DNA sequence: ATTCCAGTGGTACACTTGTGCTAATATAAT
DNA sequence: ATTATATTAGCACAAGTGTACCACTGGAAT
């Protein structure tokens, strides 16, 4: 008998449960495991399930069919809400530590929006970004960035003006053109030395 | 029978399943639902589960105990994208059949946004709603409604003008005041006979 | 040897569960 | 009123299911 090391059948059972969960999104029964692991007695399965539970690797409710749960979690992208952004304030740029340590809240967003990228969220205060069609109370999802491509919606820090605005970014010869998303309003032109890109706006979320 | 609006028992069953999942991490049986919703026949539960499955809100494997799975992953709701909305077009109002049958796409959004409510999504085409801070290409999440409270952002159909706009709704004596979200722009006043509420705007989603 | 124990096999019981069937009721449309 | 459709009700059956029980194997410690 192997005192050190893991029981082979028990590991096969455990991995089978994982596999079964991936394929069905619900737990297998004792007899599902029996067939899946080519065992010949429900008692064997029962025995190993009891051990696995005692080891804390699974949970079960007595007498409830398909009640096996793994000490495991589904992966949804959670995004830290790092603070608020208002007119005249620089946007806080997150570091590895601030990422979750000083998060006010963890927001859960679909992967569709993040596309796997590491984003952070900011709550917009005031109407200073209304020309970017961003309202008071909206949430913006930011992607950390120092540079931008033409057409990107970026958060820029204007050194002389000492303020942050959200604009679409275009290079035009020697200057930089910053266009509001709202086409009714006029673009502004700046020298590259005066603009500092703080991040790309990846999405806007408005809850009414 | 109510053709518009959702079956009450069916919604109770659906929310019970969600609640049960939150509490147990596995699906309820038909009889769990029966007891939890204080119904008196498994056939009633079976009937509504069949409808829910036809509507695409749940999935089941035949003859498998506790095989109910929600179309919504935990923390994420799926919302049918029913079409586009542009100036001069009425907003399509969904019925039970159109819910998933004619959905162009199923969008996944955080449950934080839907708050459990049954919403549908529309893609905005053109700039007709820019005074509501809604851009071309934005997605609006609509909640079906015929009435509105003061301050609600609603989609209204103006009969005389034959067009839909998104505005904030206020009653002012005999008339109805419709305010653009953009405070730079002027509100319009209408007689109640001319406005027909098509739904509440529950959220705005902009992907850049 | 003997004892101990993790692990395996086989089986049976009592209960649970999805489903099918029939009937009844309620509301809407004609 | 009549028809159609949605919903509720009661019940029975076959199969699925967790669990208890007993017997057995093989290696390790004594």
């Amino acid at each position: 008998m192997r005192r050190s090391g893991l029981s082979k059948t028990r590991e096969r059972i455990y991995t089978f449960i994982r596999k079964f969960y991936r394929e069905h999104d619900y737990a297998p029964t004792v007899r599902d495991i029996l067939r899946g692991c080519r065992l010949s007695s429900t008692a064997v399965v029962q025995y190993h399930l009891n051990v696995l539970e005692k080891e804390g690797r699974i949970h079960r409710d007595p007498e409830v069919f398909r009640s096996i749960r793994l000490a495991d979690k589904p992966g949804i992208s959670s995004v830290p809400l790092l603070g608020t952004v208002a007119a005249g304030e620089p946007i806080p740029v997150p570091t590895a530590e601030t990422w979750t340590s000083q998060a006010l809240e963890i927001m859960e967003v679909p992967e569709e929006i993040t596309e796997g990228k590491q984003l952070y969220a900011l709550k917009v205060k005031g109407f200073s970004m209304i020309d970017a069609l961003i309202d008071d109370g909206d949430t913006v999802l930011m992607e950390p960035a120092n540079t931008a491509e033409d057409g990107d919606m970026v958060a820029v820090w204007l050194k002389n003006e000492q303020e942050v605005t959200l604009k679409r970014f275009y290079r035009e010869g020697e200057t930089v053109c910053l266009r509001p998303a709202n086409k009714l309003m006029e673009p502004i032109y700046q020298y590259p030395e005066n603009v500092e890109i703080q991040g790309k706006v990846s999405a806007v979320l408005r809850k009414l």
Side-chain angles (χ1 to χ4, degrees), chain A:
Chain A
M1 210 213 72
R2 68 183 83 208
R3 291 223 173 273
S4 61
L6 302 169
S7 163
K8 196 168 177 208
T9 307
R10 189 144 68 240
E11 289 313 301
R12 208 157 77 243
I13 288 177
Y14 180 74
T15 46
F16 175 79
I17 296 173
R18 297 191 71 88
K19 180 184 157 209
F20 193 97
Y21 247 118
R22 265 204 312 280
E23 290 172 358
H24 298 86
D25 273 330
Y26 48 79
T29 64
V30 172
R31 286 168 180 83
D32 284 333
I33 299 171
L34 181 143
R35 284 185 286 270
C37 296
R38 302 189 180 188
L39 300 170
S40 46
S41 174
T42 58
V44 179
V45 181
Q46 198 75 269
Y47 166 73
H48 286 292
L49 289 181
N50 286 334
V51 177
L52 284 170
E53 187 165 25
K54 198 161 285 181
E55 291 176 346
R57 301 172 68 186
I58 64 170
H59 300 285
R60 283 192 303 164
D61 289 351
E63 310 193 5
V64 177
F65 304 165
R66 297 187 185 279
S67 68
I68 301 175
R69 283 145 297 166
L70 299 164
D72 180 67
K73 290 175 188 176
I76 332 167
S77 327
S78 20
V79 174
L81 177 63
L82 290 186
T84 61
V85 53
E89 289 177 14
I91 285 183
V93 177
T95 65
E97 299 96 65
T98 66
W99 198 263
T100 48
S101 62
Q102 66 180 42
L104 303 175
E105 190 186 334
I106 300 292
M107 295 186 58
E108 292 186 337
V109 299
E111 263 179 352
E112 216 178 60
I113 289 183
T114 64
E115 290 165 339
K117 289 176 290 191
Q118 279 283 359
L119 307 181
Y120 62 100
L122 297 172
K123 201 136 202 132
V124 175
K125 201 168 183 179
F127 300 95
S128 62
M129 286 145 185
I130 206 152
D131 64 347
L133 300 178
I134 293 173
D135 200 3
D136 180 53
D138 285 5
T139 303
V140 288
L141 268 53
M142 304 293 304
E143 180 185 357
N146 298 318
T147 60
E149 302 298 314
D150 274 15
D152 283 350
M153 174 82 86
V154 293
V156 293
W157 172 251
L158 301 178
K159 292 179 189 168
N160 293 345
E161 290 80 357
Q162 288 279 301
E163 66 173 30
V164 168
T165 66
L166 301 182
K167 295 279 191 298
R168 285 203 180 278
F169 179 91
Y170 297 91
R171 283 173 231 274
E172 291 197 1
E174 293 297 301
T175 65
V176 166
C177 173
L178 301 175
R179 291 188 185 277
N182 189 335
K183 310 214 167 178
L184 301 177
M185 308 188 86
E186 293 300 313
I188 63 174
Y189 294 87
Q190 292 280 345
Y191 290 105
E193 303 86 65
N194 195 36
V195 312
E196 190 171 280
I197 294 170
Q198 306 218 309
K200 296 184 191 180
V201 181
S202 186
V204 181
L205 208 60
R206 182 177 311 147
K207 204 173 137 194
L208 296 164

